[in-house]
Amino acid sequence: MSPVIKEFRLPDLGEGLTESEIVAWHVAVGDTVELNQVIADVETAKAVVELPSPYAGVVAKLHEQPGTVVEVGSPIVSFDVPGSGGHSTNSPDASADTNDDDAPPAKREPNLVGYGAAVEKTGRPARRARRSSGAAEPARAAEPVGAPVMAEAPQPSVPAEAQLERPRSTPPVRKLARDLGIDLTALNGSGPQGLITREDVLAAQGGSGQEGSGEQGSDRGVQPAETGGAPASRMSGERETRTPIKGVRKHTAAAMVASAFTAPHVTEFLTVDVTASMDLLARLKTSRAFADVRITPLVLVAKALCIALDRNPTLNSRWDEAAQEIVQHHYVNLGIAAATPRGLVVPNIRDAHTLGLRELADALKGLTETARAGKTSPADLSGGTISITNVGVFGIDAGTPILNPGEAAILAMGSVRKMPWEYQNEVALRQVMTLSLSFDHRLVDGEQGSRFLADIGTILSDPGMVLTMV
């Protein structure tokens, strides 16, 4: 039967988002694609996600160029699909026919985006490795973001044995390569199983490879890039640079403005002698039970916060304006503010209150590595009940953090410094940290916030005091 044109519209990728940016296409006009093959990287207000094809067929048209912000429901790509019932079913949230068959549709099975092509009797198709034609477009990987996508005449499909595996890398790394004009197919990845890393791309450009994508939620956070000489001047050339407000920056700005002008913020500070906690960290690093676990000050602060919340539950609540109710959470989804190449995100650890110190350390490690790689899903960025931001990794002592929308409190932990401190009626050199707690004064009274902060300080100054609190 003759092919049918299927139009794929941008779906809602979660959390009711209304628009997304096309970061990159992995297919071109004329390419043959399989069901669930990744065809594009799409950036929502919260994360970069890989968009799979709901059809098996040939790419007929790319409606949008990389760098374009597209509203949900707008067409982004059209496919020529076989006219038989097996491959002509639309995705309900996205597609429209220009030549529908009269035959009744076959039973549909869910694919990676809504419902797509029907499945043969052999079962649901498995997701295949992403492929691109090495002969058809050898320079596509080096195409800069925002470059026009030129319409091409349909090309004959390339036999499977002639197709090349697309270089393995994460979406932020692929975007960096495009920005720098680096061809990923020419690189050998230094990561696990040949994964091409950010450092590989920077090395190919001749950079130092030290421009880190660190995380604010770990003590390995973003540090100033170390260079052999003086930093290049940014005061030459163009008088100014204009960057569109979109993606994570746009979402963060809107959320912070809404929070700052909706919730009446109060911030309290407490400077604590954490020498005992730092001594505990040193002992844990030599303990067999924690030999393969990375325990950091952030892990101890996170555990202390969870214990203090059990004694001060008002800090773990939210204000429901529509229902005119205060919602008390009986679980802790702990948000960790993370500085990533895409901007600030706050993924959270589900049910953090149920985790022991070792499990909490593992969860924090996985969370920050995923955030740095740009793989945090929208679901992991929602549902938090309280947050921590680690400004100490930047050498900062204290601050006045703004609440994550929908949360009653956020704790900022400063850097650990050796300072003269009163200890046992004498002045001694001790390790000291400042804690900054911002809370919503509609939900939390000053006494409640103060007791919560004091409990965290007590645990960090003398970890043994936990026995008196649980």
Side-chain angles (χ1 to χ4, degrees), residues 357-380:
L357 200 62
R358 181 188 177 94
E359 293 77 20
L360 193 55
D362 288 338
L364 280 167
K365 181 175 181 291
L367 176 148
T368 53
E369 287 179 350
T370 301
R372 284 202 308 275
K375 291 290 188 178
T376 305
S377 68
D380 290 334

Side-chain angles (χ1 to χ4, degrees), residues 330-341:
H330 302 295
Y331 57 91
V332 180
N333 288 347
L334 180 58
I336 304 294
T340 75

Side-chain angles (χ1 to χ4, degrees), residues 96-358:
D97 295 346
T98 59
N99 184 21
D100 285 331
D101 294 333
D102 294 331
K107 180 181 178 181
R108 297 179 299 176
E109 296 292 341
N111 60 21
L112 295 181
V113 177
Y115 285 76
V119 180
E120 302 295 339
K121 293 182 179 180
T122 54
R124 182 177 176 180
R127 181 175 175 180
R128 305 257 183 112
R130 299 187 294 272
R131 299 179 184 275
S132 62
S133 170
E137 46 176 358
R140 180 166 293 276
E143 183 176 283
V145 173
V149 177
M150 304 301 292
E152 304 173 22
Q155 301 290 330
S157 60
V158 181
E161 59 269 20
Q163 291 182 332
L164 300 177
E165 195 74 23
R166 185 161 68 93
R168 294 184 65 251
S169 61
T170 61
V173 172
R174 292 195 290 271
K175 181 178 185 302
L176 175 65
R178 286 189 294 271
D179 292 343
L180 299 179
I182 303 297
D183 184 357
L184 289 179
T185 61
L187 301 184
N188 293 321
S190 62
Q193 299 180 348
L195 181 73
I196 297 175
T197 66
R198 179 182 177 87
E199 288 70 25
D200 295 332
V201 174
L202 293 174
Q205 187 203 21
S208 66
Q210 296 178 351
E211 299 176 19
S213 56
E215 73 278 1
Q216 190 170 341
S218 166
D219 63 353
R220 290 182 301 174
V222 179
Q223 300 294 339
E226 298 176 6
T227 58
S233 173
R234 296 178 181 268
M235 302 301 290
S236 59
E238 297 294 330
R239 298 282 291 178
E240 61 185 20
T241 299
R242 290 178 174 264
T243 303
I245 301 172
K246 57 185 180 181
V248 170
R249 179 62 59 190
K250 181 177 181 179
H251 174 78
T252 301
M256 292 300 98
V257 169
S259 176
F261 289 96
T262 300
H265 285 55
V266 173
T267 304
E268 296 183 343
F269 303 90
L270 177 64
T271 302
V272 182
D273 178 355
V274 295
T275 305
S277 286
M278 301 308 293
D279 290 343
L280 173 62
L281 283 180
R283 293 196 302 274
L284 291 176
K285 290 177 181 179
T286 62
S287 169
R288 276 190 180 181
F290 291 88
D292 58 343
V293 181
R294 187 168 183 274
I295 303 291
T296 66
L298 175 60
V299 177
L300 295 185
V301 171
K303 187 60 181 175
L305 178 144
C306 290
I307 294 171
L309 272 183
D310 190 51
R311 292 163 52 89
N312 304 275
T314 57
L315 278 292
N316 195 36
S317 60
R318 67 180 175 88
W319 184 277
D320 189 335
E321 182 66 29
Q324 286 294 291
E325 294 175 338
I326 294 174
V327 181
Q328 176 70 61
H329 303 299
H330 302 295
Y331 57 91
V332 180
N333 288 347
L334 180 58
I336 304 294
T340 75
R342 298 176 54 245
L344 181 68
V345 297
V346 190
N348 63 78
I349 299 172
R350 305 283 174 171
D351 295 322
H353 64 294
T354 65
L355 303 180
L357 200 62
R358 181 188 177 94

